Amino acid sequence: MTTQPEAPGQSQLPPMRTIGELRAALTMGYGFPGDADDFEAELAREINHADPADLSGVVRVVEEFRGRVVARRDPEFDTAVAAAVAGIRKTRESGR
C-alpha cells in the first residue's frame, strides 16, 4: 500500500479509526492541551449513562474529539482563530 503525499500546507494526521487510536493521538498531544483527560472523562460519563441500545452519546464524543485533532493540526486554524479574536476586539472597541 502506498501513502498519498501530503498536500501543501496540510499536517499529517494520526490514525483515528478506533477509539484506541484516537486515545493514542490525544495522549501524544495531537489535540488541544487537556484533550486527553477531557476525552477520557467525557467518554466514561457517556458510557456510564448510556442505554446499551443507544450509544449515540459515545459516538458524539468520539466525533467531537476527532474533529478537535483535525482542527488543531490544520495549519490555517491558528490564523482563523487570530482573525476571529481580532474581529471581536474591533467590534467591542467600536461599541464603546
Side-chain angles (χ1 to χ4, degrees), residues 16-40:
M16 295 183 289
R17 295 176 302 267
T18 67
I19 290 174
E21 288 177 345
L22 176 57
R23 179 179 280 140
L26 292 169
T27 300
M28 292 178 353
Y30 279 93
F32 294 93
D35 272 358
D37 292 336
D38 292 346
F39 175 71
E40 294 300 333

Side-chain angles (χ1 to χ4, degrees), residues 11-13 17 20 27-28 31 85 91:
S11 297
Q12 181 68 24
L13 290 172
R17 295 176 302 267
T27 300
M28 292 178 353
V85 168
T91 301

Side-chain angles (χ1 to χ4, degrees), residues 33-84:
D35 272 358
D37 292 336
D38 292 346
F39 175 71
E40 294 300 333
E42 289 187 38
L43 182 63
R45 185 172 32 257
E46 287 299 332
I47 289 171
N48 290 335
H49 294 97
D51 177 333
D54 179 15
L55 297 176
S56 59
V58 173
V59 172
R60 180 194 55 76
V61 168
V62 169
E63 289 174 347
E64 176 186 340
F65 280 89
R66 273 190 189 137
R68 292 175 65 86
V69 169
V70 171
R72 187 66 180 130
R73 299 302 293 177
D74 183 341
E76 296 177 14
F77 180 81
D78 289 332
T79 303
V81 170

